[in-house]
Amino acid sequence: MRKFESMKQLLLSVIQYYVDNGYYYVQFVQYPSNKKDKWTAIDQKLSKKFNTNLNKGQRAYKKRKKQANAVVLRCRNICLIMHTNGSNEWNEKFTDVREKTLQIAFGDVVKIDLKITNGKGHVKFNKRSYQDIKEIIKDLARNSPTWKHLQELKKIRHLPAVRREMHQQKKHLFELYRKECKRHGKKPFML
């Protein structure tokens, strides 16, 4: 079980380390946010079920025996369970991110797509989620008092951006904010 401080660290770890080491099968689990005191117990159950407390030699032995190795990654209430090729005894449904895009939800609005193409991990905001964020920005510039702008812009600034596509999407969101403020005669905040 690995715990991360930020969503950016989690996503970077997935696409830079785990994908490179053959962890192509992913399952997304969202812990109930109102049961924060039980998250540790859930972590322990998952670690026991997927046998993630193995050292390097034990993982190599399982790989030689053509058995799957699993890892559980968590940041706050977001948990990703990943495993390698091989036989396993779990009756769980995993998504092969080489063939299908996995959608990871970070809150009510923000959803991120994870996909592997040509052996590289690609992460970007989900198309629908990106459109929703744009609508929130347009509504913010049109109707809200300017002191609320700073709060919302900080939320957008703290969205995890780990690849070029996500950095460009965030840049476009701030450009949209400036254009919408100018259009409605309000002075935009600069972050």
Side-chain angles (χ1 to χ4, degrees):
M1 171 56 123
R2 286 205 49 204
K3 295 179 186 174
F4 295 90
E5 295 295 319
S6 71
M7 301 312 293
K8 184 175 183 177
Q9 290 174 339
L10 172 74
L11 293 171
L12 277 172
S13 176
V14 167
I15 60 177
Q16 288 180 346
Y17 177 75
Y18 291 103
V19 166
D20 288 346
N21 288 305
Y23 289 86
Y24 299 130
Y25 304 95
V26 184
Q27 183 183 57
F28 169 67
V29 179
Q30 193 164 12
Y31 291 3
S33 55
N34 59 343
K35 297 184 179 181
K36 192 173 184 176
D37 54 330
K38 296 186 181 183
W39 289 358
T40 306
I42 296 170
D43 290 343
Q44 291 170 349
K45 285 181 184 178
L46 288 174
S47 290
K48 186 176 179 182
K49 179 178 182 175
F50 293 102
N51 197 16
T52 61
N53 296 329
L54 302 176
N55 62 34
K56 188 176 182 178
Q58 292 168 324
R59 287 193 308 272
Y61 178 77
K62 282 181 78 172
K63 187 175 182 179
R64 281 194 306 273
K65 294 287 186 181
K66 300 199 184 312
Q67 295 176 347
N69 283 311
V71 66
V72 179
L73 311 171
R74 180 170 71 85
C75 179
R76 292 179 288 239
N77 68 329
I78 305 298
C79 179
L80 294 178
I81 304 166
M82 303 179 75
H83 77 82
T84 59
N85 280 330
S87 63
N88 62 61
E89 64 277 354
W90 318 304
N91 275 340
E92 298 284 331
K93 185 175 179 178
F94 286 85
T95 302
D96 184 351
V97 288
R98 294 172 296 180
E99 298 173 5
K100 187 177 178 188
T101 302
L102 177 73
Q103 191 177 89
I104 304 168
F106 296 109
D108 297 332
V109 177
V110 180
K111 293 175 180 59
I112 294 176
D113 289 341
L114 172 66
K115 176 98 171 123
I116 298 171
T117 51
N118 299 329
K120 290 196 174 198
H122 295 279
V123 182
K124 64 179 184 176
F125 294 111
N126 176 274
K127 189 175 183 179
R128 180 70 198 150
S129 176
Y130 189 62
Q131 293 300 325
D132 290 345
I133 295 170
K134 282 180 160 182
E135 289 303 316
I136 290 170
I137 289 173
K138 288 177 182 177
D139 189 49
L140 180 72
R142 181 175 41 247
N143 297 325
S144 340
T146 52
W147 61 269
K148 266 192 165 182
H149 292 206
L150 187 60
Q151 293 173 335
E152 295 300 320
L153 290 174
K154 282 183 180 177
K155 288 180 190 176
I156 293 169
R157 185 179 188 187
H158 293 329
L159 290 173
V162 294
R163 286 286 194 215
R164 183 172 172 254
E165 297 158 306
M166 291 182 84
H167 285 290
Q168 287 178 335
Q169 286 176 321
K170 280 178 68 172
K171 182 180 173 185
H172 289 297
L173 289 174
F174 285 110
E175 288 173 2
L176 175 68
Y177 166 72
R178 285 198 257 333
K179 285 179 187 176
E180 288 296 314
C181 282
K182 185 176 180 181
R183 184 172 158 217
H184 295 289
K186 295 186 180 179
K187 185 176 180 183
F189 277 99
M190 301 309 267
L191 292 177

